[in-house]
Short mmCIF file of all heavy atoms in Angstrom, two decimals:
data_model
loop_
_atom_site.label_atom_id
_atom_site.label_comp_id
_atom_site.label_asym_id
_atom_site.label_seq_id
_atom_site.Cartn_x
_atom_site.Cartn_y
_atom_site.Cartn_z
N PRO A 192 167.16 -22.75 -71.73
CA PRO A 192 166.49 -22.74 -70.45
C PRO A 192 166.38 -24.13 -69.83
O PRO A 192 166.57 -24.31 -68.63
CB PRO A 192 165.09 -22.16 -70.74
CG PRO A 192 165.25 -21.47 -71.99
CD PRO A 192 166.32 -22.17 -72.77
N LEU A 193 166.08 -25.12 -70.64
CA LEU A 193 166.03 -26.49 -70.13
C LEU A 193 167.38 -26.92 -69.52
O LEU A 193 167.43 -27.52 -68.45
CB LEU A 193 165.62 -27.46 -71.26
CG LEU A 193 165.50 -28.94 -70.86
CD1 LEU A 193 164.42 -29.10 -69.84
CD2 LEU A 193 165.27 -29.75 -72.10
N PHE A 194 168.48 -26.57 -70.23
CA PHE A 194 169.82 -26.94 -69.75
C PHE A 194 170.10 -26.24 -68.41
O PHE A 194 170.58 -26.82 -67.47
CB PHE A 194 170.87 -26.58 -70.80
CG PHE A 194 172.25 -26.87 -70.37
CD1 PHE A 194 172.72 -28.15 -70.28
CD2 PHE A 194 173.09 -25.82 -70.02
CE1 PHE A 194 174.01 -28.38 -69.87
CE2 PHE A 194 174.38 -26.03 -69.58
CZ PHE A 194 174.83 -27.34 -69.52
N ILE A 195 169.78 -24.89 -68.38
CA ILE A 195 170.06 -24.13 -67.14
C ILE A 195 169.25 -24.59 -65.96
O ILE A 195 169.78 -24.74 -64.88
CB ILE A 195 169.82 -22.63 -67.46
CG1 ILE A 195 170.89 -22.12 -68.39
CG2 ILE A 195 169.82 -21.82 -66.17
CD1 ILE A 195 170.62 -20.73 -68.93
N PHE A 196 167.99 -24.90 -66.13
CA PHE A 196 167.14 -25.34 -65.05
C PHE A 196 167.41 -26.80 -64.66
O PHE A 196 167.10 -27.22 -63.51
CB PHE A 196 165.66 -25.16 -65.38
CG PHE A 196 165.27 -23.74 -65.39
CD1 PHE A 196 164.79 -23.10 -66.57
CD2 PHE A 196 165.40 -22.90 -64.28
CE1 PHE A 196 164.42 -21.80 -66.63
CE2 PHE A 196 165.07 -21.59 -64.32
CZ PHE A 196 164.56 -21.03 -65.51
N SER A 197 168.04 -27.56 -65.51
CA SER A 197 168.31 -28.94 -65.15
C SER A 197 169.55 -29.06 -64.25
O SER A 197 169.69 -30.03 -63.47
CB SER A 197 168.52 -29.79 -66.40
OG SER A 197 169.65 -29.38 -67.10
N ILE A 198 170.42 -28.08 -64.22
CA ILE A 198 171.64 -28.13 -63.41
C ILE A 198 171.32 -28.21 -61.91
O ILE A 198 171.84 -29.11 -61.23
CB ILE A 198 172.59 -26.98 -63.75
CG1 ILE A 198 173.17 -27.17 -65.15
CG2 ILE A 198 173.73 -26.89 -62.70
CD1 ILE A 198 173.99 -26.02 -65.65
N PRO A 199 170.48 -27.32 -61.36
CA PRO A 199 170.17 -27.45 -59.90
C PRO A 199 169.46 -28.76 -59.56
O PRO A 199 169.68 -29.35 -58.52
CB PRO A 199 169.22 -26.32 -59.62
CG PRO A 199 169.43 -25.35 -60.75
CD PRO A 199 169.87 -26.12 -61.91
N VAL A 200 168.61 -29.23 -60.50
CA VAL A 200 167.95 -30.50 -60.23
C VAL A 200 168.95 -31.64 -60.21
O VAL A 200 168.87 -32.54 -59.34
CB VAL A 200 166.86 -30.77 -61.31
CG1 VAL A 200 166.24 -32.15 -61.18
CG2 VAL A 200 165.77 -29.71 -61.21
N LEU A 201 169.90 -31.64 -61.11
CA LEU A 201 170.92 -32.71 -61.12
C LEU A 201 171.78 -32.62 -59.85
O LEU A 201 172.15 -33.64 -59.27
CB LEU A 201 171.80 -32.53 -62.37
CG LEU A 201 171.16 -32.97 -63.65
CD1 LEU A 201 172.06 -32.62 -64.86
CD2 LEU A 201 170.80 -34.42 -63.63
N ILE A 202 172.11 -31.41 -59.41
CA ILE A 202 172.91 -31.26 -58.15
C ILE A 202 172.13 -31.84 -56.97
O ILE A 202 172.70 -32.58 -56.16
CB ILE A 202 173.29 -29.81 -57.93
CG1 ILE A 202 174.28 -29.36 -58.98
CG2 ILE A 202 173.83 -29.57 -56.52
CD1 ILE A 202 174.58 -27.87 -59.00
#
Side-chain angles (χ1 to χ4, degrees):
L193 180 64
F194 178 74
I195 291 171
F196 291 119
S197 66
I198 291 173
V200 172
L201 288 173
I202 291 171

